[in-house]
Amino acid sequence: MPVEPTPDPVFDPTPYDAVLLLSFGGPEKPADVLPFLQNVTRGRGIPDERLVEVGEHYYSFGGRSPINDQNRELLSALRESFDEVGLDLPLYWGNRNWEPYLTDTLRQMTADGVRRAVVIVTSAYPSYSGCRQYRENLADATAAVEGAPRIDKLRHYANHPGFVGSFVESTAEALSKLPEGSAIAYVTHSIPNKMNETSGPDGNGYVSWHQDVAAEITAELQRRTGVERRTDLVYCSRSGPPQVPWLEPDVNDHLEALAADGVPGVAVVPIGFVSDHMEVIYDLDTEALATAEKLRLPMARAATPGTDPRFVTMLRDLVLERAAAERGEQPARPCLGKLGPGWDDCRPDCCPALRRPGAPTSNEPAAPAAKESI
Ligand SMILES: CC1=C(CCC(=O)O)c2cc3nc(cc4[nH]c(cc5[nH]c(cc1n2)c(C)c5CCC(=O)O)c(CCC(=O)O)c4C)C(CCC(=O)O)=C3C
Ligand SMILES: [Fe+2]
């Protein structure tokens, strides 16, 4: 990998007095599943059949998603990483769709006297679902809590060497379990085509960022081994009504195509996700694996970053980078690929909600807008 500028060695968090981890949230017991799904899909036009089906995914894992435990583990890894360099910032955690709910966390932060916080979102790419919706949640929660701290969201980190590097290792590991000549299928969450078209400051940000990250992983593996492989970017977890076009191909259809082409095996690399949550353990490890087994296509799934030290150190570096930028300094902004480092503050027109004009920017209160179906 190219040599990157080393981040600012001074571990100065000024002007921040806290860090907030913001995530999706997930159910922890069977009775949580329906209310959780209602939270996720309120006003979003997801057909009832799809909800029943997704409910079954959760019930088949005892009604418990691993995502909250994974966030607890990430919080302790971050605590350790902060402590190593004497960074005594408190860490908070809030979710969009389940306890601890963001608004409650913000209330706690306010009561603790936090004035200015930086937020790490467990979503690495630009899109309405992966970025702006979280910013709307922050704006809504801030508006609901009197005296709430000011909160800045970290830049998108998918093309950061820490994130890419973590997938390089896990992809190499997955490939080591497969026959020679195996392909790589990079996988991410499908979104409506239209949501992609309007993602990022110039549109198509969701897909172009994924393509860029996939190309960097592929190039680094090729540099290491000299082996050229077939690679594709494919999608999982489609929902929404069938008449609305979402990004394709679906990972299962792609496995069929690979088998038909006589590919000897496939590494499935979930570059769209930061931990092995339900989309990964159900849609890939259960459903896609069953497809691969039916096709007698050897498949190995690469690990997500989770608490990989490269990923955890990256998050710490990004907190310090943003702090330096807010102090008016010009910190190094490590990034790989063709697209350049992510931007600190999203432009007001970045990643608009589908058919929901006038959504707010980072620190603005949410404009009242009718939630319509996608
Ligand atoms: C881009 C993206 C990410 C990655 C970025 C990020 O991480 O944020 C992501 C992550 C996740 N998605 C998750 C779960 C769900 N997503 C749903 C529905 C949807 N996701 C969408 C997009 C994304 N989703 C979209 C456009 C919809 C349609 C409805 C809408 O416009 O909102 C539904 C409804 C049922 C269904 O699947 O149809 C569920 C249950 C979980 C939790 C897993 C667990 O519990 O372990 C996680 C991490
Ligand atoms: Fe989702």
Side-chain angles (χ1 to χ4, degrees):
M1 232 170 270
V3 178
E4 291 300 323
T6 1
D8 190 337
V10 180
F11 299 105
D12 180 3
T14 317
Y16 296 121
D17 43 22
V19 174
L20 168 64
L21 180 70
L22 175 57
S23 192
F24 198 93
E28 305 219 9
K29 55 182 188 300
D32 296 348
V33 172
L34 273 181
F36 162 76
L37 289 176
Q38 281 159 355
N39 286 345
V40 177
T41 58
R42 191 164 294 129
R44 310 213 72 84
I46 306 296
D48 286 347
E49 311 84 78
R50 168 71 190 168
L51 278 194
V52 171
E53 187 190 321
V54 175
E56 289 308 323
H57 301 174
Y58 285 95
Y59 295 130
S60 71
F61 281 89
R64 186 178 180 91
S65 160
I67 194 170
N68 298 336
D69 289 333
Q70 286 158 357
N71 281 320
R72 292 180 183 104
E73 283 158 23
L74 179 57
L75 285 165
S76 20
L78 281 168
R79 179 77 276 151
E80 220 170 281
S81 170
F82 283 15
D83 289 348
E84 265 168 30
V85 296
L87 201 58
D88 62 359
L89 286 181
L91 278 157
Y92 291 87
W93 171 39
N95 291 318
R96 165 190 292 168
N97 299 302
W98 202 251
E99 296 157 10
Y101 287 108
L102 173 60
T103 308
D104 297 332
T105 305
L106 214 58
R107 217 167 261 129
Q108 185 62 52
M109 292 169 75
T110 309
D112 292 348
V114 174
R115 300 304 315 137
R116 207 161 161 196
V118 61
V119 62
I120 296 169
V121 178
T122 57
S123 164
Y125 296 84
S127 76
Y128 175 74
S129 289
C131 180
R132 191 185 192 101
Q133 201 177 351
Y134 286 106
R135 292 191 287 111
E136 291 181 357
N137 299 148
L138 282 165
D140 289 346
T142 302
V145 177
E146 214 193 304
R150 171 175 166 187
I151 298 180
D152 298 325
K153 179 182 172 295
L154 290 183
R155 65 175 164 108
H156 292 294
Y157 47 74
N159 62 5
H160 192 287
F163 188 81
V164 174
S166 178
F167 274 112
V168 166
E169 295 311 321
S170 66
T171 306
E173 163 90 21
L175 286 167
S176 74
K177 299 174 192 153
L178 292 166
E180 233 172 84
S182 289
I184 300 176
Y186 296 105
V187 189
T188 189
H189 203 300
S190 187
I191 58 174
N193 287 0
K194 243 179 142 176
M195 191 185 281
N196 172 55
E197 281 159 27
T198 58
S199 61
D202 310 309
N204 193 40
Y206 188 74
V207 169
S208 59
W209 271 63
H210 280 87
Q211 285 169 334
D212 206 38
V213 169
E216 284 303 308
I217 299 168
T218 304
E220 175 60 17
L221 290 170
Q222 198 180 326
R223 252 192 304 272
R224 286 186 187 182
T225 59
V227 178
E228 247 183 87
R229 304 176 181 278
R230 171 168 179 176
T231 67
D232 298 88
L233 174 60
V234 304
Y235 302 90
C236 65
S237 321
R238 183 208 204 279
S239 61
Q243 67 275 16
V244 177
W246 283 51
L247 297 175
E248 289 175 352
D250 179 79
V251 60
N252 295 285
D253 297 335
H254 179 63
L255 295 177
E256 304 260 359
L258 289 178
D261 290 349
V263 167
V266 60
V268 168
V269 184
I271 54 170
F273 303 116
V274 306
S275 75
D276 290 357
H277 49 61
M278 197 50 101
E279 270 49 24
V280 178
I281 64 171
Y282 187 85
D283 298 22
L284 302 180
D285 294 352
T286 308
E287 199 173 47
L289 186 65
T291 303
E293 278 169 358
K294 181 194 79 186
L295 297 163
R296 301 186 187 285
L297 176 67
M299 166 182 148
R301 200 264 296 168
T304 52
T307 57
D308 183 334
R310 295 172 197 82
F311 179 61
V312 175
T313 305
M314 172 199 84
L315 293 176
R316 185 183 75 195
D317 288 347
L318 285 173
V319 166
L320 294 165
E321 174 193 303
R322 182 64 188 257
E326 293 300 312
R327 295 194 300 268
E329 297 164 23
Q330 264 146 27
R333 292 180 180 272
C335 87
L336 298 170
K338 299 196 294 269
L339 298 175
W343 46 94
D344 279 348
D345 290 307
C346 293
R347 266 179 14 199
D349 56 347
C350 202
C351 300
L354 295 180
R355 292 195 240 137
R356 286 184 60 200
T361 55
S362 190
N363 294 312
E364 272 175 45
K371 303 223 173 180
E372 282 185 46
S373 86
I374 53 171

